[in-house]
Amino acid sequence: MKKNFLTAIKEALHEEMEHNGDMICIGEDIGLLGGAFGVTEGLQERYGTGRVIDAPISEAAIVGSAVGMSLNGKTVMAEMQFIDFISCGFDQIVNNLATYHYRTAGDVDMGVVIRGPAGGYGGGALYHSQMNEAWFANSPGIKIVCPSTPSDAKGLMKYALRDRNPVLFYEVKQLYRDNAIAEELPEGDYVIEFGQASIRREGSDLTFVTYGQNVYHCLKAADLLAEEGVKAEVIDIRTLVPLDEETILKSIAKTNRLVVVNEAPMTCGFAGEIVARIADKGFEYLDAPPLRVTRLDTPVPWAKTLELHVLPSVEKIVAAGKRVVRF
Amino acid sequence: MRYNLGSFPNARNLGERNLTAKNGSATATRAKASDEPDQLPRDLLTREEYLELFRQLYLARYFDVRLIKEKKKGRLTGTLYSSHNQEAVLVGSLFGLRPNDWISPIHRDMPAFFMKDLRSGWDNPDRMGMTIEEVCAQVWCKAGSPGRARDNWSHIGKKAKHIIHSTSMLAGTIPVAAGVAYADKLDGGDTVVVTYNGEGSTAQGVFHEAINFAAVHKLAVVTIIENNQWAYGTPTHLGYPLEDYARRADGYGIPGFIADGQDVFDVYDKVMQAVAWGRSGKGPSIVECKTFRAYGHGDHDDDRAAKYRPPHEVEEGRARDPIAIAKKVLLEKGYISESESTLYQAEGKSAGQTTDEDFPPEVVAYLKRGVDYALKSPAPAAEEGERWVFRV
Ligand SMILES: Cc1ncc(C[n+]2csc(CCOP(=O)(O)OP(=O)(O)O)c2C)c(N)n1
Ligand SMILES: [Mg+2]
């Protein structure tokens, strides 16, 4: 049976709760309601109010207490109702959670996964559309994941919940119930190790490197470019930290052209990081300057006209593809 | 046109002068009947003002009902956080403010944007509130909105009208309110800043950090806690261990009032006492208004809310309709007659059960003006998306 993105994550949570008796889930409205989007539906009924906590509305307390629970032997899934609200728990994440292992010289490890719905294109406006992964990529000690398919979401979530490192898991909410990407999920205990990019389409003329819902924009752009005889490869990095540089470098060695696409603002965004690493390690492969297609350096506005103006689009991606090919 | 009283004269100092020193200690202010001043702020209201309060309840209800219907028809984008059954909190708290006072409404307070300073005249262009046209343009996501549809629904404000702009981040406006009050105090002003906050949102650290700052500097910040018993899908006992959220005030040594949020006159009384306290330089306060959320958290949550909330609780919570309660008071006072009291029967009805006949015609006409304007207002031009990141 085909399952959607949301169901895949829900299954991962249920399986890990079953498999790991020391796992706790905490978040706003995750128990009685089953989560704003329904990702945690059924968890409290099955595992009780002790292990599935409806927290008071405080992201700082949610994340900070997850740190304490982890310090005292637990694995914690902490939900942000929208990833945008993570800013209210920022200090606990970047200064407490992220650095714990480092400042204890490896004595303490943190089994905390922070996950939440993210991303634009849904008319969510400034505070229900963010991709704020760059804030955390710039804070050493946090692994960052952003899958684009149901099976990747499931396998990566299960890995995250077993990795004794802080993990930040961006769930693209526009994909949650997108039937077009629903798929059969792999049988059994399906786990995907971090740091492995996935080649979503092979091509020889240029490489799109992307993640999250922009994967689908790039695939569409690759279709359009193919009509003009340009063969684009599409790489979904799946995890930002750690980053699978090898897969990207191999691709660039073949295509000699790079366009990085993500929906966060351009300045100091993760697209820039990818470009910098490839420029460093793959300079000799490049036949054109690597380009970024990102959100403009603006917030995400509400009205559709405005939102589409500032976010990456298939047209903008196609244009960038043509630019590197014609260089 | 029974309740049409025309324009009101500019706000007078309603009720504030009446505050006695009895409320001087934090403990005495938790509104028990015995602690209340001999004369209540409401006792200074005229019949016309009673009727105007009543009419404003209809206006707030009608606005909400209309939006619920529009949303159901798929004509609006974004989430509607209904204020149905909570109108007395907004109307009662706004009514006695001076035009220059500041407010900071949040997601469930959409009517507050145009109901601020309504007493200066619904159609008075100099009124210190947004126009119904501006608010409707915002709801319809049009360029005619004060925020030009850059952020959604309640995330608007207007500096010139002393309305603070909120973000989504709950309780995030309270420090801003404190800053506004600080600046006013430094300039020798005596305006009061009224902030709105759900009971669930009082768990945010910034709520406490801001009130602490306001208490240290004795700033005129009145924080209204709209305790509607639910924070999305979380009941109050999982958000705060005590029954009365007004007790949040105790830790800062500031007054914490409790009002019956279904009774517009009680809300008025308590807020006016809190406002007088702030205006006289004694500092911030909290007014907890006990009310009940009629529908789901947002319109997207109506179906799920019907499952996570026990039906009897919802029935009880909606049984005390603020319009019915106010109507009873007006009848008892002889301000309206029996036959007048049956003219408009919006109370006790769900949005879908009401028709325009259940509301005073001037209320219906007022909103129509707003909607007509919104429908004519254009969508913002795409290029605006990249403007105003910086001042140039
Ligand atoms: C910092 C932050 N965390 C979470 C949310 C998501 N959220 C929006 S409204 C809400 C519930 C608010 O409950 P309450 O404060 O009681 O107000 P009510 O909606 O009942 O009026 C939540 C959790 C948010 N907007 N901001
Ligand atoms: Mg509430």
Side-chain angles (χ1 to χ4, degrees):
Chain A
M1 194 180 58
K2 285 188 176 180
K3 290 179 177 157
N4 66 20
F5 194 92
L6 187 142
T7 307
I9 295 168
K10 192 194 283 188
E11 278 189 9
L13 296 177
H14 275 270
E15 286 174 23
E16 290 307 295
M17 283 292 275
E18 189 68 41
H19 146 98
N20 178 359
D22 278 327
M23 181 174 153
I24 291 172
C25 295
I26 183 168
E28 292 152 15
D29 313 298
I30 66 165
L32 182 61
L33 174 67
F37 287 87
V39 176
T40 55
E41 255 164 22
L43 282 177
Q44 193 175 66
E45 274 158 43
R46 183 163 171 97
Y47 299 102
T49 52
R51 287 180 64 200
V52 182
I53 307 168
D54 273 320
I57 306 172
S58 166
E59 288 71 18
I62 289 168
V63 178
S65 62
V67 170
M69 291 172 199
S70 180
L71 182 63
N72 209 1
K74 304 296 182 188
T75 296
V76 189
M77 183 288 279
E79 176 175 295
M80 299 289 108
Q81 196 158 87
F82 282 83
I83 211 68
D84 312 58
F85 306 142
I86 202 169
S87 54
C88 297
F90 196 72
D91 173 63
Q92 288 295 325
I93 298 171
V94 302
N95 289 318
N96 205 349
L97 175 66
T99 63
Y100 225 126
H101 195 64
Y102 184 82
R103 63 195 149 91
T104 59
D107 184 39
V108 176
D109 54 23
M110 283 284 127
V112 176
V113 176
I114 302 171
R115 47 157 290 276
Y121 300 97
L126 276 80
Y127 311 110
H128 292 76
S129 305
Q130 293 176 13
M131 281 297 294
N132 45 32
E133 68 276 16
W135 300 346
F136 302 98
N138 199 233
S139 299
I142 310 169
K143 296 189 179 180
I144 302 177
V145 187
C146 184
S148 69
T149 70
S151 41
D152 283 0
K154 182 169 182 185
L156 291 166
M157 180 61 78
K158 283 170 69 88
Y159 185 87
L161 287 162
R162 296 176 193 187
D163 188 346
R164 293 295 299 181
N165 278 293
V167 178
L168 188 44
F169 206 99
Y170 285 83
E171 298 171 3
V172 176
K173 57 183 176 288
Q174 290 292 104
L175 300 181
Y176 271 158
R177 297 177 200 278
D178 181 351
N179 287 330
I181 66 160
E183 60 185 358
E184 305 264 343
L185 298 177
E187 298 276 307
D189 191 26
Y190 183 63
V191 176
I192 303 174
E193 207 176 313
F194 289 176
Q196 300 176 331
S198 153
I199 299 173
R200 301 291 303 275
R201 177 188 177 116
E202 295 202 21
S204 51
D205 297 333
L206 81 144
T207 304
F208 287 124
V209 174
T210 186
Y211 52 96
Q213 59 190 322
N214 297 128
V215 168
Y216 298 98
H217 300 133
C218 288
L219 288 171
K220 181 88 190 101
D223 282 344
L224 294 175
L225 287 167
E227 287 170 16
E228 303 185 27
V230 176
K231 298 186 197 71
E233 182 143 304
V234 177
I235 295 180
D236 173 1
I237 59 171
R238 303 198 289 189
T239 65
L240 291 71
V241 181
L243 178 67
D244 177 2
E245 295 174 7
E246 207 184 302
T247 299
I248 304 173
L249 283 166
K250 260 196 212 148
S251 175
I252 304 301
K254 174 175 64 172
T255 66
N256 313 116
R257 290 169 168 84
L258 172 66
V259 175
V260 186
V261 182
N262 76 348
E263 57 171 299
M266 182 176 279
T267 302
C268 288
F270 203 75
E273 178 61 27
I274 294 174
V275 166
R277 291 206 207 178
I278 299 310
D280 179 1
K281 293 174 187 164
F283 190 67
E284 67 273 22
Y285 302 137
L286 290 170
D287 285 347
L291 295 184
R292 290 169 288 173
V293 180
T294 70
R295 191 208 302 171
L296 303 182
D297 279 335
T298 71
V300 182
W302 180 31
K304 212 70 215 159
T305 45
L306 306 176
E307 186 186 34
L308 295 178
H309 182 71
V310 308
L311 286 170
S313 62
V314 173
E315 298 82 77
K316 292 180 198 175
I317 297 167
V318 167
K322 287 184 181 169
R323 239 184 93 196
V324 293
V325 170
R326 287 185 192 145
F327 182 77
Chain B
M1 299 271 281
R2 280 305 160 137
Y3 309 130
N4 191 353
L5 305 159
S7 291
F8 263 75
N10 247 5
R12 20 181 211 98
N13 192 2
L14 291 179
E16 284 182 39
R17 70 192 101 115
N18 189 50
L19 230 215
T20 67
K22 274 187 196 165
N23 290 318
S25 77
T27 46
T29 49
R30 222 165 305 119
K32 284 184 239 105
S34 59
D35 291 334
E36 281 172 358
D38 306 332
Q39 205 184 14
L40 291 168
R42 81 171 81 169
D43 297 335
L44 298 173
L45 294 176
T46 62
R47 170 179 179 270
E48 284 66 36
E49 285 159 345
Y50 266 81
L51 287 172
E52 173 64 7
L53 268 161
F54 187 43
R55 185 169 71 153
Q56 290 190 13
L57 285 176
Y58 277 106
L59 179 58
R61 172 70 52 88
Y62 184 68
F63 177 77
D64 193 71
V65 158
R66 179 77 195 263
L67 296 196
I68 289 174
K69 290 180 178 174
E70 296 284 339
K71 191 79 210 293
K72 282 225 162 74
K73 288 180 191 147
R75 292 180 184 156
L76 303 174
T77 153
T79 303
L80 165 64
Y81 300 96
S82 167
S83 47
H84 202 108
N85 202 45
Q86 300 185 209
E87 297 91 348
V89 177
L90 298 176
V91 173
S93 59
L94 292 166
F95 194 74
L97 301 184
R98 295 185 190 169
N100 265 342
D101 287 338
W102 289 75
I103 62 169
S104 77
I106 52 158
H107 58 286
R108 210 169 293 289
D109 311 319
M110 209 65 212
F113 292 100
F114 64 86
M115 297 194 79
K116 178 175 187 275
D117 194 31
L118 264 190
R119 283 201 310 118
S120 291
W122 289 26
D123 299 319
N124 179 350
D126 299 326
R127 184 166 72 78
M128 285 294 283
M130 281 185 198
T131 64
I132 189 73
E133 287 86 353
E134 287 173 314
V135 176
C136 287
Q138 166 66 7
V139 170
W140 264 260
C141 192
K142 296 296 189 67
S145 147
R148 301 193 68 78
R150 300 168 83 74
D151 201 359
N152 55 16
W153 287 81
S154 65
H155 304 156
I156 45 170
K158 198 157 185 173
K159 182 176 163 178
K161 301 294 183 182
H162 289 190
I163 301 174
I164 297 173
H165 322 64
S166 74
T167 68
S168 276
M169 282 61 185
L170 294 168
T173 48
I174 303 186
V176 179
V180 167
Y182 189 95
D184 185 69
K185 184 173 174 167
L186 200 62
D187 291 346
D190 67 347
T191 59
V192 173
V193 187
V194 177
T195 77
Y196 295 83
N197 208 83
E199 90 292 340
S201 311
T202 65
Q204 281 287 331
V206 73
F207 176 90
H208 300 275
E209 295 166 34
I211 291 182
N212 186 55
F213 173 75
V216 165
H217 292 282
K218 295 206 183 318
L219 305 177
V221 177
V222 175
T223 296
I224 306 224
I225 300 179
E226 303 169 86
N227 180 359
N228 61 3
Q229 313 304 321
W230 287 85
Y232 207 154
T234 301
T236 48
H237 72 271
L238 293 175
Y240 185 53
L242 305 181
E243 174 81 18
D244 298 328
Y245 281 74
R247 293 203 56 188
R248 294 274 196 202
D250 295 356
Y252 307 103
I254 63 171
F257 300 88
I258 294 176
D260 175 355
Q262 304 311 97
D263 178 352
V264 71
F265 304 107
D266 196 44
V267 173
Y268 177 77
D269 283 341
K270 303 294 161 43
V271 172
M272 288 309 279
Q273 291 175 56
V275 162
W277 180 265
R279 190 139 19 237
S280 65
K282 296 199 182 86
S285 58
I286 285 174
V287 182
E288 176 188 2
C289 298
K290 293 192 190 281
T291 180
F292 189 82
R293 195 185 81 202
Y295 293 109
H297 172 57
D299 61 291
H300 61 285
D301 183 50
D302 286 345
D303 295 341
R304 292 173 90 196
K307 288 183 203 132
Y308 65 72
R309 301 202 301 183
H312 69 88
E313 185 192 324
V314 177
E315 209 172 295
E316 273 166 38
R318 292 176 62 155
R320 299 186 62 245
D321 190 309
I323 295 180
I325 290 174
K327 194 179 263 186
K328 191 154 167 272
V329 171
L330 293 190
L331 267 169
E332 281 165 9
K333 285 193 162 292
Y335 289 169
I336 54 171
S337 67
E338 277 300 336
S339 61
E340 281 171 327
S341 78
T342 57
L343 271 176
Y344 310 113
Q345 303 263 37
E347 64 269 33
K349 292 182 182 168
S350 69
Q353 288 167 337
T354 57
T355 67
D356 284 0
E357 266 61 69
D358 294 323
F359 298 90
E362 68 271 24
V363 162
V364 176
Y366 199 64
L367 199 68
K368 183 174 183 312
R369 248 177 42 199
V371 177
D372 288 348
Y373 175 84
L375 292 175
K376 273 187 239 122
S377 179
E383 296 70 36
E384 285 191 10
E386 57 190 275
R387 280 190 72 189
W388 300 303
V389 174
F390 293 105
R391 180 174 183 152
V392 286

